[in-house]
Amino acid sequence: MASRQNPDEMASRQNPDDKQPTGGQDPDEEYFPSDFSRRQTLDMLAGGALMTALPNLFPGMGQAHAADDDVVRIGYLPITDATALLVAHGMGYFKDEGLEAARPTLIRGWSPLVESFAAGKFNLVHLLKPIPVWMRYNNKFPVKIMCWAHTNGSGLVVGKHTGITGFGQLGGKQVAVPYWYSMHNIVLQIALRGSGLKPVIKPQSATLAADEVNLQVMPPPDMPPALAARKIDAFIVAEPFNAMGELKAGAKMLRFTGDIWKNHPCCVVCMNEEVTSKKQEWTQKVINAVVRAQVFASQNKKDVAHMLSRDGEKYLPMPAEVVERAMTLYDTATYDDPKAIKHSEWGNGRVDFQPWPYPSATKLIVNAMNETVVGGDKTFLSSLDPEFVANDLVDYAFVKEALGKYPEWTKDPSVNPQDPFNREEVVKL
């Protein structure tokens, strides 16, 4: 059973050979050969041509196969959604399972992370939950959701120049989302429709009707500076970029997404099904480490925030004050104007950590994706049966065994300890 540990013990668990900072390389330079532009690549991805494009995008890779060695290779975005993977590495939990784990690789955007995972550069990643739906059923890539990476952990912030205090005032505004196939886009559009507004995708220079909200995809690191420069009016994204926007770009939190959809999933831990089928013992050890990390993160948010920050082990490029705010600051007094928390009785944290992938949430997401405006062709969604997706996309066996090993997961505030494996989805504006 995982036990509570202090910062000194955390420091003692670090691998002394893994103290170097990550990042610094332009992902376009690493992942996009000169004969393929980013737009060409994204067009192929949106059109379902991921598998046929891979041999050209990544010469020598052939069709997508994750690396054959037993080294845990993690790709991640610099957001708190990656906490479980980063803590499992930083605390030595993979090593405790007898696994070798490379230093996780920081990627700036979802497209290069998806592409590099598909090409076998990484065998363990966190992805926005709608992305695996799109990859498996539109692009025919054998991705499997192994567990949830966290719950909640996102919000919608508005620029101080807007004076916006409610969703209904977003009409005629420009809002950035991190990816079309994201929980952020889904939850945002649920809230917009519930407020009588219409999400659209138009050129930023286009004239908008009073009830239209123009959406654009933007990498999370670009959002706070774009808001500060008034290139956008609002953005919805994972932490710590909301906290960064608050502290560095004058942003105001309009609403936490976990206060709209109670304890919603956002990022999920994903692997290649070919790997999980071929290396079941190895896969179980990986998931054991990830589940153990979630238990620790749930119980030690402040300490984990410091470890992840640039003042700690430098997994995230943000200072500790930003990451700590992103993981711990969630109270009605601070967020009273606007009222970013309307359902304090739900007992959420700003971000919570529990691994169980509730089938009820997967079904809701599949249904919601059909109503969500996205760029590109989404006709593949119309034929998807939510019940089938919940059973086919998610592998419940490895995570359930790991949860038995670490039963403290039920103490996370997002879990009902009386019935931890079932829940009713609650969505309320």
Side-chain angles (χ1 to χ4, degrees), residues 126-359:
H126 68 108
L127 297 175
L128 297 164
K129 185 160 185 179
I131 292 178
V133 177
W134 168 70
M135 290 182 74
R136 188 171 180 91
Y137 303 111
N138 187 55
N139 288 291
K140 311 305 180 186
F141 183 82
V143 61
K144 274 285 191 178
I145 293 175
M146 306 304 293
C147 63
W148 285 3
H150 68 105
T151 58
N152 309 318
S154 298
L156 174 71
V157 298
V158 296
K160 61 181 179 182
H161 65 279
T162 66
I164 291 172
T165 58
F167 271 96
Q169 297 171 315
L170 286 168
K173 302 300 183 182
Q174 305 284 339
V175 181
V177 299
Y179 209 68
W180 292 132
Y181 291 98
S182 68
M183 291 300 300
H184 311 90
N185 196 26
I186 288 174
V187 175
L188 171 64
Q189 293 192 32
I190 288 173
L192 292 178
R193 290 192 299 270
S195 302
L197 298 176
K198 180 182 178 182
V200 298
I201 302 172
K202 295 183 176 181
Q204 196 164 11
S205 58
T207 300
L208 300 177
D211 65 343
E212 291 183 333
V213 180
N214 199 33
L215 308 181
Q216 61 177 288
V217 168
M218 184 176 290
D222 296 345
M223 291 182 177
L227 189 71
R230 302 189 180 186
K231 294 180 179 178
I232 55 175
D233 300 301
F235 64 78
I236 184 167
V237 74
E239 297 288 5
F241 289 103
N242 295 300
M244 177 70 81
E246 291 178 283
L247 294 174
K248 306 297 183 181
K252 299 202 76 173
M253 182 66 71
L254 185 67
R255 195 72 180 276
F256 291 102
T257 55
D259 192 61
I260 297 172
W261 181 347
K262 182 180 179 182
N263 296 320
H264 67 81
C266 186
C267 271
V268 290
V269 175
C270 293
M271 300 176 73
N272 188 316
E273 186 177 15
E274 295 176 1
V275 175
T276 63
S277 298
K278 183 170 63 175
K279 300 192 290 188
Q280 296 188 19
E281 183 179 354
W282 180 87
T283 299
Q284 186 63 62
K285 291 178 179 180
V286 170
I287 300 305
N288 288 347
V290 172
V291 167
R292 183 182 178 190
Q294 290 208 46
V295 172
F296 182 79
S298 176
Q299 298 175 350
N300 300 276
K301 290 180 181 178
K302 184 175 180 179
D303 296 341
V304 165
H306 187 275
M307 181 185 79
L308 297 182
S309 76
R310 73 180 185 205
D311 299 311
E313 295 304 310
K314 300 177 172 59
Y315 291 108
L316 306 182
M318 281 70 79
E321 64 165 336
V322 172
V323 185
E324 182 177 331
R325 180 186 184 97
M327 295 187 74
T328 63
L329 184 59
Y330 191 79
D331 65 80
T332 54
T334 301
Y335 291 106
D336 182 58
D337 183 23
K339 291 187 179 298
I341 304 171
K342 296 185 179 181
H343 303 298
S344 58
E345 72 278 6
W346 287 357
N348 294 359
R350 184 158 175 161
V351 60
D352 295 303
F353 300 97
Q354 78 79 24
W356 179 244
Y358 292 99

Side-chain angles (χ1 to χ4, degrees), residues 88-104:
H89 178 267
M91 293 296 293
Y93 293 162
F94 292 119
K95 185 177 180 180
D96 288 350
E97 291 286 338
L99 302 174
E100 179 184 352
R103 174 84 183 189

